[in-house]
Amino acid sequence: MSASAPALPATGAAARLRTGAATLALLSLGHFFVDLYSGSLGVLQPLIVERLRLTLAEAGLLGGLLVFSSSVTQPLYGFLSDRYRTPLFSALGPAVAGLFILSGAMAPSYGWAVILMVLGGAGVSAFHPQASSWAAAGMARHRARWMAVFISAGTLGIAAAPAFFKEFLAAFGPSRLLWAALPGALVSAACLALVRPPAGAQSRPRGFDWQALKAVRRPLSILYFGVFFRSAVQVVFAQFLVLYLSRERGYSLHQAAYVLTAYLAAGALGGIAGGQLSAWLGPKRVIAHSFLWSAPLMSVFFLTPSAWGVACLVAGGLVLLFTIPVNVTVAQRLVPSQAGTVSALLMGFAWGAAGMIFVPWTGWLADRTSLHAALASLLVFPALGYWLSRQLPEDLAE
């Protein structure tokens, strides 16, 4: 009897670990499909423009509204998820994103397309804050490493979106597009059945805790602007790289699309690598060296048109995205009672704000110079990010 008593805590710990691993797996799968659907508009936009006879301005507004509803509104959902702690925010996200975004692509009018895209973006926005604060919460150690798995799943979804929807439309045609929402709906059903708030979440204070945020405002601000600078490069390159390669370097659209896919996929691998490096070297070193080395690597791409330039672009994208899971995990550790809110600030709001500012700015500058010059000018942001990261405290938690 006495010899078997110590097994009870171990059994409980093992059960919590299994539950945490299952939650991580389901939310990572949900993240893949949420970002797959949110990244579908680039491929579906020509279909929408032709069917609804849209102007380019109307098409751009549709994309801008999707970015706004899927990213800039994330702090609101972060606040709500911290307040109510119901798993519905993350569980329903994949189904809502898939059903409404793909329905928006098949809408009978422009007005309906706008409404459905905004609703689909709300599913994307609602998913991210809660899912990112719960995904690695059940893992006892090295949460940055596990957060890297969750975040990289979303990056892979974005990278896969162009090829996935291109092949889906070729195989099944636009009339069956809504069937592509089925995997997201199945993941939502699994999340509804199995995902529960992590241990200890219900005992934390509910609602918005301004004092907790104010106490760490300096390191949190540095983390936010670091993500903002990184996103300025990542979002704009994702938006304009295919256009640049096809217009100014003579690539076919097929070749340019595969370069973009390689660049985005490398970023997903970079997130996983960054989480592991953070466990070995510490968060501050990973953040600083990510900014330090990404700019020189990506500069080679603009200095030479050879295959080595493309290889350096892909390597630069990998290094640049080392910081994604590290930033989010550190912010959650700084303000555990507001994990959803700070996750939304760093993952959604910073990304969306950078996109809404620098995508139009890059287009404006490219009209007056060239896409080559406009895209190359963005490499000033990793340099700013390196300077900023040096201001972080040395004792950041992993």
Side-chain angles (χ1 to χ4, degrees), residues 75-389:
L76 170 63
Y77 289 104
F79 164 76
L80 292 174
S81 66
D82 285 336
R83 172 68 178 83
Y84 294 107
R85 312 273 165 73
T86 170
L88 292 178
F89 290 100
S90 52
L92 293 179
V96 171
L99 288 169
F100 284 102
I101 291 175
L102 299 184
S103 294
M106 303 304 297
S109 68
Y110 182 65
W112 274 110
V114 167
I115 292 170
L116 292 168
M117 286 290 178
V118 169
L119 291 174
V124 177
S125 189
F127 174 86
H128 280 89
Q130 184 179 82
S132 60
S133 64
W134 288 10
M139 312 307 289
R141 300 178 60 198
H142 302 311
R143 289 188 181 175
R145 182 185 302 167
W146 301 116
M147 180 62 70
V149 173
F150 168 77
I151 292 178
S152 296
T155 310
L156 283 173
I158 294 174
F164 175 85
F165 284 100
K166 180 173 176 286
E167 296 300 329
F168 188 95
L169 290 172
F172 301 106
S175 63
R176 293 184 173 88
L177 181 61
L178 205 55
W179 282 102
L182 181 60
L186 293 175
V187 172
S188 282
C191 288
L192 282 170
L194 300 173
V195 172
R196 295 293 178 268
Q202 298 295 342
S203 63
R204 294 173 185 166
R206 293 177 178 267
F208 187 76
D209 187 353
W210 171 249
Q211 292 303 317
L213 293 170
K214 186 177 179 181
V216 294
R217 61 186 180 276
R218 186 174 185 274
L220 194 60
S221 297
I222 294 172
L223 291 171
Y224 172 82
F225 282 105
V227 175
F228 180 79
F229 291 149
R230 187 262 303 163
S231 298
V233 178
Q234 182 70 3
V235 175
V236 174
F237 271 57
Q239 183 79 17
F240 286 109
L241 188 59
V242 170
L243 192 63
Y244 166 62
L245 290 172
S246 60
R247 282 192 173 185
E248 299 188 14
R249 290 209 176 179
Y251 283 56
S252 70
L253 288 176
H254 181 80
Q255 292 170 325
Y258 274 99
V259 171
L260 176 60
T261 297
Y263 171 74
L264 294 174
L269 295 177
I272 295 173
Q276 180 62 62
L277 289 170
S278 177
W280 292 340
L281 305 175
K284 180 176 178 177
R285 286 185 180 179
V286 172
I287 294 170
H289 282 276
S290 170
F291 284 125
L292 178 64
W293 295 108
S294 57
L297 283 168
M298 296 175 78
S299 294
V300 176
F301 171 69
F302 293 102
L303 295 174
T304 174
S306 69
W308 282 108
V310 173
C312 286
L313 171 72
V314 173
L318 183 146
V319 174
L320 182 68
L321 266 67
F322 278 174
T323 62
I324 301 180
V326 182
N327 282 321
V328 174
T329 306
V330 169
Q332 291 175 354
R333 294 270 187 161
L334 288 172
V335 201
S337 66
Q338 305 293 294
T341 300
V342 296
S343 299
L345 284 170
L346 267 65
M347 289 183 65
F349 189 79
W351 180 88
M356 293 183 74
I357 293 170
F358 290 108
V359 169
W361 181 85
T362 303
W364 177 87
L365 183 61
D367 282 337
R368 287 153 179 80
T369 56
S370 66
L371 268 172
H372 183 94
L375 292 175
S377 71
L378 294 170
L379 297 184
V380 69
F381 289 115
L384 291 173
Y386 174 71
W387 171 80
L388 196 63
S389 66

